[in-house]
């Protein structure tokens, strides 16, 4: 009988031979009957076989309930069904024939002294037999020593003999004798099953299990399958398959689940605690599977037991269950990302097991997280991410505001005004997009859309906040023009699809900053234009102070990125020429005679000075250089018929000029009604011919020059 702590006492109590009325010999682990049990024992004395079986079965059932309750219940059900079938199929006793007295049949060689005791109880006159000389040890001892295959072979011999005796109707008159011996076999089988579980449980423990024991386990599983290939046709419970392969697989799953649940116990809460828990979990799974491949798989391979695949699936399922539990409790963007990242990049990495010949993808494993769970995790993550990214942009704005309040001037890096705004935005977008891309392409695309949407909301808010602050200056405007231009070019180049919609808002914001930059210059130089075209102007260099301010302003443009700097410089060039013409067409004083000729010459010199200055600054708007000289030529032309030629050149170079501008220019000369009429008619024809041209190529100059309304112009019209 099995002598493990769970069954040894029950077996000895069940099968120990004793004379009637003689107290049972003391044995370790055997409980003595209390005084309360005596009446029951006396009542059972009238039917010693069934009473002994019921008492022992009750005791063994209680001891085995903790570990083997399922198998024991199944064994008892099979046993009772077999007994009923034996009673139903007993041959009838012929009249006059005395009932057969139960006696010993050809007794089998029992695997233990307990079984020998059962046989002696059934046949008191028979002498006790010794153990099978080939076995050398009882089945219980063999199981205790993990000699599982030898124990199974002895049980097989006992099972075969019991089946043969049952078939020969040896137990027709003594069904309880068969029941006792069959139950003994079942309990030994259950004991073997319990040891299989114990071996599996201790295999990955701190002490481990010897390779020989693992090999015994694999061999006994295979031997049981060969001994019981399928359910017997007659329904005999003794020969029913024990399904130890499934029992072993269940034990592996249970062991994996227990070890995975124990990993990271006591970890702190929050993102740091979750990261530590997952690190410990990954280390445990890695060590266990490495040990399975190194020790368990070779020991089980000879018997054909797929240890690696079974353990791999067991741990995969245990990890999946643990992650789903963690996912339900995850809170916040960081915890959700830690879970997604661990599942996709740590556990899902080909190098997770730290061994080139080991990988989790050798078998078609199911997804670590169910698709709906993964989708929910990503959805929760993106919801938190949207709030987090909006908060990050708010932090960027607050950082810039703190710099404005502290009057911190922008840095100059590589001869350019520099703001950390573009770097902060680039890092924010790149960090989150890269992190999402490590999880999945879908999450990366979603994160890109979130970043683009948040940046689109940030731009007008930043622009409004800055322009309403007291920090507006040429260096700050230049720095933010550079930053927005860098964002426009780099973000569109790196993420061409998602950020295309931001090209127009970024360009618009840059244009607003350029316009504000130009407005500052206009505010400084506008009063200086009033000094032009006066009698004092004829003798003084009133243009120089104005051009000095232009040159100083251009110094800031040198620290702005070239495309935007050139645009702004050309706009300054156009502004200076436009305002000069506006002042020339409505002079505060009229020049006649020699003063008119002097004014024409002075205007020509100013035009050359303006052209040279802007050419030296790098302006590419050379088309502006002809406007002032044409007006100067018309003003100083001594051959009146030559005025038409200068007028035609002016209209041809600047098709946006209007009839009012031509009238104002002719009014500077007072040529007479007939000549003015002829020149106006020619100008009308030229303007009509180029009516569709307008400001060709963006070269608009006169359309922003106000046409003066004066008495001289009115006279010229008449």
């Amino acid at each position: 009988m099995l002598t493990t702590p769970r069954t040894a006492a029950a077996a000895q109590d069940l099968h120990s031979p004793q004379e009637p009325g003689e107290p049972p010999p003391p044995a370790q682990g055997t409980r003595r009957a209390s005084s309360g049990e005596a009446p029951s024992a006396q009542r059972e004395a009238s039917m010693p076989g069934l009473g002994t079986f019921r008492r022992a079965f009750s005791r063994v059932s209680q001891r085995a309930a903790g570990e083997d309750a399922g198998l024991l219940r199944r064994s008892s059900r099979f046993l009772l069904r077999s007994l009923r079938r034996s009673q139903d199929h007993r041959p009838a006793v012929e009249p006059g024939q005395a009932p057969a007295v139960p006696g010993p049949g050809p007794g089998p060689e029992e695997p233990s002294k307990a079984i020998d005791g059962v046989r002696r109880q059934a046949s008191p006159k028979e002498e006790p037999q010794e153990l099978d000389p080939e076995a050398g040890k009882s089945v219980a001892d063999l199981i205790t020593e993990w000699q599982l295959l030898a124990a199974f072979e002895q049980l097989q011999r006992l099972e075969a003999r019991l089946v043969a005796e049952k078939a020969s109707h040896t137990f027709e008159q003594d069904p309880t004798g068969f029941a006792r011996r069959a139950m003994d076999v079942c309990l030994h089988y259950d004991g073997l099953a319990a040891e299989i579980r114990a071996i599996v449980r201790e295999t990955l423990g701190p002490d481990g299990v010897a390779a020989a024991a693992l090999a015994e386990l694999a061999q006994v599983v295979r031997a049981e399958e060969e001994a019981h290939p399928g359910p017997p046709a007659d329904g005999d419970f003794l020969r029913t398959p024990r399904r130890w392969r499934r029992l072993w697989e269940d034990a592996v799953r249970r062991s994996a689940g227990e070890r995975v649940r124990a990993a990271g116990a006591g970890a702190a809460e929050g993102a740091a605690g979750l990261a530590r828990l997952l690190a410990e979990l990954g280390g445990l799974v890695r060590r266990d599977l490495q040990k399975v491949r190194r020790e368990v798989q070779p020991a089980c391979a000879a018997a054909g037991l797929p240890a690696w695949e079974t353990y791999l699936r067991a741990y995969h399922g245990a990890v999946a269950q643990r992650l789903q539990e963690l996912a339900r409790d995850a809170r916040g963007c960081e915890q959700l990302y830690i879970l997604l990242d661990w599942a996709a990049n740590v556990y899902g990495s080909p190098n997770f097991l730290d061994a080139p010949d080991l990988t989790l993808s050798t078998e078609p494993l199911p997804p670590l997280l169910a698709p709906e769970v993964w989708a929910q995790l990503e959805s929760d993550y993106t919801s938190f991410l949207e709030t987090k990214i909006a908060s990050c942009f708010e932090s960027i704005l607050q950082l810039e505001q703190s710099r404005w309040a502290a009057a911190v001037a922008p840095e100059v890096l590589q001869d350019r005004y520099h703001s950390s705004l573009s770097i902060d935005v680039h890092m924010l977008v790149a960090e989150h997009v890269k992190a999402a891309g490590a999880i999945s392409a879908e999450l990366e695309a979603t994160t890109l859309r979130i970043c683009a949407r948040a940046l689109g909301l940030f731009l007008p808010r930043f622009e409004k906040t800055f322009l309403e602050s007291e920090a507006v200056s040429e260096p700050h405007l230049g720095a933010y023009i550079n930053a927005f231009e860098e964002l426009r070019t780099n973000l569109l180049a790196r993420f061409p699809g998602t950020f295309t919609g931001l090209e127009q808002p970024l360009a618009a914001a840059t244009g607003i900053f350029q316009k504000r930059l130009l407005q500052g210059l206009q505010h400084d130089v506008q009063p200086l234009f009033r000094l032009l075209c006066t009698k004092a102007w004829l003798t003084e260099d009133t243009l120089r102070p104005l051009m000095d301010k232009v040159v100083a302003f251009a110094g800031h443009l040198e620290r702005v990125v070239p495309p935007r700097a050139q645009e702004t410089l050309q706009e300054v060039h156009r502004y200076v020429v436009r305002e000069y013409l506006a002042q020339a067409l409505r002079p505060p004083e009229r020049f006649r005679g020699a003063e008119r000729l002097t004014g024409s010459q002075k205007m020509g010199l100013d035009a050359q000075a303006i052209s040279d200055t802007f050419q030296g600054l790098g302006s590419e708007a050379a088309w502006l250089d002809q406007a002032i000289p044409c007006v100067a030529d018309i003003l100083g032309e001594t051959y009146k018929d030559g005025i038409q030629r200068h007028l035609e050149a002016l209209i041809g170079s600047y098709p946006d000029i209007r009839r009012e501008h031509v009238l104002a220019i002719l009014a500077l000369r007072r040529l007479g009604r007939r000549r003015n009429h002829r020149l106006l008619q020619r100008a009308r024809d030229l303007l009509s011919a180029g009516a569709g041209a307008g400001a060709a190529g963006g070269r608009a100059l006169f359309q922003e020059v106000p046409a003066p309304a004066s008495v001289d112009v009115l006279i010229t019209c008449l």
Side-chain angles (χ1 to χ4, degrees):
M1 184 62 187
L2 179 65
T3 57
T4 60
R6 294 176 296 277
T7 59
Q12 190 166 3
D13 187 37
L14 174 61
H15 301 303
S16 296
Q18 58 183 358
E19 296 298 330
E22 187 176 316
Q28 183 179 359
T30 303
R31 293 187 305 169
R32 293 185 178 273
S34 65
S35 59
E37 294 174 344
S40 175
Q42 290 175 0
R43 286 193 300 270
E44 291 174 355
S46 60
M47 41 188 306
L50 183 59
T52 304
F53 162 68
R54 289 169 56 190
R55 184 171 61 253
F57 179 72
S58 175
R59 293 177 182 174
V60 175
S61 299
Q62 293 172 2
R63 290 172 182 155
E67 296 185 8
D68 240 356
L71 285 173
L72 190 55
R73 285 194 298 271
R74 289 195 295 272
S75 299
S76 62
R77 288 198 298 270
F78 284 134
L79 177 59
L80 293 175
R81 284 201 298 268
S82 179
L83 289 175
R84 285 196 294 270
R85 283 196 299 270
S86 177
Q87 292 286 349
D88 294 341
H89 293 86
R90 271 192 317 189
V93 180
E94 295 185 7
Q97 182 180 358
V101 178
E109 295 178 7
E110 290 79 358
S112 70
K113 294 181 180 180
I115 299 300
D116 186 56
V118 173
R119 186 170 55 80
R120 289 201 303 274
Q121 256 190 343
S123 181
K125 295 181 180 179
E126 187 176 77
E127 293 295 326
Q129 295 182 357
E130 297 296 330
L131 286 172
D132 186 345
E134 296 179 0
K137 293 182 180 180
S138 68
V139 177
D141 291 338
L142 293 173
I143 294 175
T144 303
E145 297 172 4
W146 284 358
Q147 298 184 36
L148 307 183
L149 188 59
F152 179 75
E153 290 171 351
Q154 289 199 37
L155 282 175
Q156 279 294 102
R157 289 195 291 272
L158 181 57
E159 176 189 313
R161 291 174 182 174
L162 277 175
V163 171
E165 291 178 3
K166 179 184 176 184
S168 63
H169 308 294
T170 303
F171 297 100
E172 285 182 354
Q173 302 301 322
D174 187 17
T176 58
F178 172 77
R180 285 193 298 271
R181 294 175 63 183
M183 179 54 67
D184 193 48
V185 173
C186 290
L187 290 177
H188 278 84
Y189 273 133
D190 292 349
L192 269 171
E195 292 308 315
I196 290 174
R197 292 195 200 89
I199 291 174
V200 172
R201 186 168 55 251
E202 296 178 21
T203 296
L204 298 176
D207 298 330
V209 173
L214 295 172
E216 285 274 329
L217 182 150
Q219 291 168 6
V220 79
V221 169
R222 181 174 180 180
E224 192 278 330
E225 290 179 333
E226 294 173 351
H228 305 121
D234 59 357
D236 188 355
F237 78 95
L238 279 175
R239 291 179 294 152
T240 299
R242 306 290 167 170
R243 307 189 189 281
W244 283 350
R245 180 182 292 268
R246 187 171 64 187
L247 179 142
W248 168 73
E249 292 173 349
D250 291 342
V252 169
R253 282 192 291 270
R254 187 179 299 110
S255 174
E258 291 173 353
R259 293 180 65 79
V260 166
R261 283 192 297 273
E269 296 182 357
L274 180 60
R276 180 180 176 183
L277 186 153
L278 291 174
E280 293 182 11
L281 175 60
L284 170 78
V285 174
R286 186 179 300 111
R287 290 190 302 271
D288 285 358
L289 290 180
Q290 287 175 349
K291 186 174 182 179
V292 168
R293 194 58 177 265
R294 186 175 60 252
E295 300 177 11
V296 182
Q297 173 68 10
C300 298
L305 205 61
W308 170 249
E309 292 78 5
T310 302
Y311 272 93
L312 181 61
R313 289 184 176 276
Y315 271 90
H316 186 75
V319 171
Q321 183 178 359
R322 185 74 188 278
L323 278 190
Q324 291 188 20
E325 294 171 357
L326 294 173
R328 287 194 295 268
D329 298 332
R331 297 291 181 271
C333 185
E334 288 78 8
Q335 292 188 33
L336 290 167
Y337 180 79
I338 288 172
L339 278 175
L340 290 168
D341 179 65
W342 191 88
N345 300 320
V346 179
Y347 184 82
S349 170
N351 302 320
F352 173 67
L353 296 180
D354 287 341
D357 59 332
L358 299 183
T359 176
L360 289 174
S361 60
T362 54
E363 290 293 325
L365 297 173
L368 185 61
L369 293 174
E372 59 273 13
V373 176
W374 183 271
Q376 186 61 46
L377 275 178
E378 286 193 346
S379 176
D380 294 343
Y381 172 71
T382 53
S383 297
F384 282 109
L385 183 64
E386 196 162 2
T387 303
K388 180 181 179 181
I389 289 177
S391 175
C392 290
F393 276 112
E394 179 66 24
S395 298
I396 291 174
L397 178 59
Q398 291 176 358
L399 178 62
E400 293 298 317
Q401 286 178 308
S402 66
R403 290 170 178 164
W404 304 337
V408 178
E411 297 179 334
V412 178
L413 297 179
Q414 298 180 348
D415 294 331
R416 297 284 185 271
Y417 287 128
H418 173 74
S419 168
S420 63
L421 175 67
S422 62
I423 295 178
D424 294 340
V425 173
H426 271 109
M427 289 182 63
L428 173 63
V429 174
E431 175 185 352
H432 287 91
V433 170
K434 180 180 179 181
I439 304 299
S440 67
E442 294 78 8
L443 188 59
E444 179 182 16
T446 302
T447 304
L448 271 172
R449 290 193 294 271
I450 291 174
C451 291
R453 186 163 55 249
L455 181 56
L457 297 174
F458 169 78
L459 291 175
R461 185 165 178 233
F462 176 85
E463 171 194 316
K464 181 175 183 296
T465 304
F466 171 63
L467 294 179
E468 290 177 353
S469 71
E470 297 179 357
V472 178
S473 63
E474 287 84 357
H476 276 102
L477 287 166
Y480 292 134
I481 290 173
N482 293 342
F484 278 38
E485 179 66 14
E486 185 177 353
L487 285 174
R488 189 181 70 85
T489 55
N490 292 355
L491 285 178
L492 290 178
R494 187 169 181 180
F495 311 108
T498 309
F499 283 88
T500 303
L502 290 177
E503 182 174 11
Q504 193 277 332
L506 283 168
T510 303
I512 290 174
F513 289 156
Q514 288 177 276
K515 184 177 180 179
R516 184 62 178 268
L517 193 62
L518 184 60
Q519 287 173 351
L521 173 66
Q522 293 172 351
H523 181 269
D524 289 341
V525 301
Q526 189 65 40
L528 300 178
F529 283 104
R530 300 191 186 98
L531 302 178
L532 302 176
C533 300
T534 62
K535 290 187 177 181
W537 164 71
L538 294 175
T539 57
E540 298 176 3
D541 189 3
T542 55
L543 183 66
R544 179 176 294 277
L546 188 152
M547 297 310 296
D548 288 343
K549 288 184 177 295
V550 169
V551 172
F553 176 81
H556 294 294
L557 296 182
E558 291 178 357
R559 293 187 168 89
V560 176
V561 289
R564 306 288 82 81
Q566 181 61 221
E567 289 177 0
T568 307
L569 182 61
Q570 290 185 30
E571 190 61 30
V572 172
H573 192 173
R574 191 169 70 92
Y575 165 74
V576 170
V577 173
R578 185 183 69 231
E579 291 301 315
Y580 192 100
L581 289 172
Q583 185 69 13
L585 294 183
R586 56 179 182 207
E589 300 176 64
R590 294 288 175 176
F591 300 133
R592 294 180 177 83
E595 287 183 346
R596 178 172 56 78
L597 294 176
T598 303
S600 172
Q601 295 174 356
K602 185 64 182 294
M603 192 178 295
L605 293 175
D606 287 349
Q608 187 63 43
I610 292 172
S611 176
D612 292 344
T613 300
F614 280 103
Q615 184 177 358
L617 295 175
S619 173
E620 298 175 0
W623 61 276
L624 293 167
D625 294 342
Q626 299 301 318
I628 298 175
C630 283
V631 174
D633 290 341
I634 292 173
L635 183 64
E637 179 62 58
T638 57
Y639 181 59
K640 294 183 179 181
D641 290 337
I643 293 176
Q644 180 175 328
R645 176 169 51 86
H646 301 307
L647 187 61
E648 290 175 351
L650 180 64
I651 296 174
S653 298
Y654 304 97
D656 64 322
I657 194 172
R658 299 192 302 276
R659 180 174 178 274
E660 292 79 2
H661 296 125
V662 176
L663 287 173
I665 293 172
L666 294 178
L668 297 177
R669 289 297 306 265
R670 294 186 178 183
L671 297 173
R673 180 175 177 275
R674 183 178 298 176
R675 190 177 297 276
N676 283 338
H677 180 73
R678 187 170 63 249
L679 290 174
L680 284 174
Q681 183 62 42
R682 178 58 180 164
R684 187 182 299 110
D685 294 341
L686 292 174
L687 291 174
S688 299
R699 296 183 175 185
L701 177 62
F702 280 92
Q703 68 181 13
E704 296 183 13
V705 176
S710 63
V711 175
D712 292 333
V713 174
L714 180 61
I715 293 174
T716 303
C717 293
L718 296 175

